[in-house]
Structure formats: structure tokens, C-alpha cells
Amino acid sequence: MTINSKQLNYILDNTPATQNIMLVGKHGIGKSRILEDYFSKKGAKVVTLFLGQMSDPGDLIGLPEKNEKTGKTDFMLPYWFPVDGEPVVLFLDELNRARPEVLQTIMDLTLNRKLAGKSLPNGSRIISAVNNGNEYQLTDLDPALVSRFNIYEFAPTVEDWLLWAQSSGIDDRIIAFISENPEYLDGDMSSSIDGLERTPDRRSWERTSAIIKNLEALSDDAKALVTGIIGNRATADFFRFVLKNDVPGAKQLLTHNFSEYEKQILEYSIPQLTQINVSLFRFIESHCFNEKDEMNIAKNLFKYFDFLGKNGKSEIQSHFIGLCNANSYPETLVFISTKVPDLYKNIMTFVEKL
């Protein structure tokens, strides 16, 4: 079975540091970012080593030098090796792209937590990531090495990414587009130039966001620029979507004056309104706002639901209520029940009348 981000967090929470973990998945799905975010929140230092870029074992274990006291050969500690005694999380990326001679060095590291005779601090973890698929140039891994890892096929869901994107400030237009067209998040729809493939993935959407985030209108020049990041087909569909779906983002609706958007909301179609519902829930679930904004967000969320009812949008209210479940948006449900009790009461009344 494959695991998502929530299940990965559970695995990391419950796996002893003495056991190694291997994540198997496509490139660009956020393996390293998710691990770095998880451990940084716990105050742990993450050292990422890109094994596919190492030309020989010296890149990993350091260079040999003569010990003047013993007359024997020692190895100079590599730049990343912890010398303060504090445990680290050693993330071995691209494990199955490493040269065979580098992989031999990894054997002792994964079994004994030693590198050229020097031990990692107690409590250190070793996590590796490998790509799978026929499109990669990979090195076959020794079964003895593989046996030293707990192996999980990692496939974070679209919803995982959307929640991350909301909390990380990814452009609202991209979030809305992927929400409606999830096949483009890790899409394999490609266009090629002299054999070079350009396909949309999570990294490329992040790069696209960095470029268009400060552009209110997307020009033809911006379209040409974005094409080089996510490819022709994804760009064409994305720009077409943006032109048709000029919907305010959740942050605008919840942190500004809601009354400014009332007339606009009345003109939206059912798909656009359900898109707004989902964006509101994602915004609150990802908690990408300051505590000082909570009161205004609670007030506007109540106004939004009330406005729908007063203007005959009961179908959209039903969709809104359908999102109130502990499995998909647990933090949002808690927010509504504790910060917006009047809205929670109205939801209960609405449900009772069904």
C-alpha cells in the first residue's frame, strides 16, 4: 500500500531512531521538504546528502590524511558530520542513483551508524529516498542494504499538497487550478524539445507561483515564461482556467471586509461557489494566519454562510456543511465549533431541517 503525508507523520512519530526508513516515490513529490518540515518543527537538524552527485566514497566519508601521532591513515571529517554530540537526521536522497562504490560505504553507516570508524551521535536517524519507475537511470540496490530499511511507498495526496500550498503562500490561482484539475499536479502530460521533457510537478508549480505571485494579470509574455516551467499543455489549460475563474481567494474573503464581495458572489456559478467553500476550509485548516486575525476570520466566515442562506444558496450551504467532517478538515471543524459558535448552531439547525 502507499502512504500519504499524514501516515508518514505517524510512521515518523512511532519508528525508533535505531530503525532506518526508506521512502519510494516519484521525483518532485516533496519527500525532502516534508521531512525537513517535520523534523524542523521538532527542533532536529536535518542533513541532506544527494548521493547521486557523489563521484566516489571520499565525497561521503571525507579525505584520507596521515595521523601524525599514530602514523596511520585517518579520514578528515566531512563538512556535514556532527561534532557537537547532538543527534542529526541524515537524509540520504537519491540512494538508488549512487555509484556502487558509494553504496558500499552506506552499508556500515546504515547498520552500525558509523562512517570511516566514527559514530554518529546517539539518537541520530537515517532516512533515505529512492525514485522508482522506468524513466530514471538507477543503480540496483544490494538486497543486504535494502534489508536494513523499513520501506514505504510514498504518494502524498493532492489534498496534502493543497493544504501545504495554502500554508506556504502558493499563488491562489494555482491552488484553485490544481483543486479543479488534480491530474496536473504530478502530470505526465509532456511536451518535448529535442528530447527534453517538460512536465508539471510539485516543484514546477512552486517555481511558477514565485514568478506570477505579484502579477495581477497574466500577460502573453508571462504565458511564454511559464511554458518553460510546466509545459505547453499545462500552461494553456492553466491560463484558460484563470481567465474564466476570477474568484477571490480565501484570504481575501476572510481577512478583508466581506461586504465588498457580496455582489460578486451572487454572480458566481455553483462550481465557483463550491470552489470558494473548499478554499475557505483549506485556508483555516492550514492555519496560515495570525491569532490577531482569528476574530475577523470567524466573523467573515459566519457572514459568508449567513449570506448564502439569505440569498437562496441552500445548495452551497449543504456543500459547506458536507466539508465539516473530522477526517478531511479536523482543525477547521474545531475552529468553527470553538471560535464561531453561532455558525456551528446555524449548521446544526440546517441539518435538523433536512
Side-chain angles (χ1 to χ4, degrees), residues 24-172:
V24 182
K26 291 179 61 177
H27 73 281
I29 60 175
K31 296 186 290 292
S32 8
R33 180 183 293 281
I34 291 171
L35 288 171
E36 287 174 4
D37 288 348
Y38 172 88
F39 286 109
S40 64
K41 289 177 182 177
K42 294 183 176 295
K45 180 181 179 181
V46 179
V47 176
T48 301
L49 300 178
F50 296 98
L51 301 185
Q53 299 175 9
M54 295 183 175
S55 59
D56 61 59
D59 293 337
L60 180 64
I61 64 177
L63 298 177
E65 64 174 351
K66 180 181 178 181
N67 186 317
E68 296 299 335
K69 292 183 179 180
T70 65
K72 297 180 180 180
T73 299
D74 278 345
F75 285 87
M76 298 175 62
L77 289 174
Y79 73 94
W80 59 266
F81 198 93
V83 294
D84 56 4
E86 293 296 319
V88 297
V89 178
L90 195 56
F91 181 47
L92 308 177
D93 204 1
E94 303 178 338
L95 183 68
N96 59 342
R97 287 175 180 263
R99 293 173 178 266
E101 54 270 29
V102 173
L103 290 175
Q104 290 301 317
T105 305
I106 297 294
M107 296 284 278
D108 191 33
L109 181 63
T110 53
L111 181 62
N112 301 312
R113 294 294 196 277
K114 287 185 177 181
L115 199 61
K118 299 178 177 67
S119 299
L120 291 175
N122 289 335
S124 294
R125 289 177 171 270
I126 296 178
I127 300 175
S128 71
V130 301
N131 295 324
N132 64 335
N134 296 326
E135 67 268 36
Y136 304 111
Q137 295 179 351
L138 305 175
T139 303
D140 290 335
L141 297 179
D142 190 312
L145 176 60
V146 173
S147 70
R148 297 173 187 182
F149 288 90
N150 302 343
I151 302 174
Y152 302 97
E153 186 174 353
F154 181 50
T157 64
V158 174
E159 191 61 30
D160 287 338
W161 185 85
L162 289 169
L163 287 172
W164 170 83
Q166 187 76 67
S167 64
S168 301
I170 298 297
D171 189 89
D172 285 338

Side-chain angles (χ1 to χ4, degrees), residues 177 181 184 191 200 205 218 222-224 226-228 230-244:
F177 176 72
N181 303 273
Y184 276 109
S191 54
W205 285 116
L218 298 182
K223 186 175 183 179
V226 170
T227 299
I230 58 175
N232 290 321
R233 180 174 173 182
T235 300
D237 285 352
F238 172 61
F239 273 68
R240 192 178 302 116
F241 175 88
V242 170
L243 290 175
K244 289 183 179 178

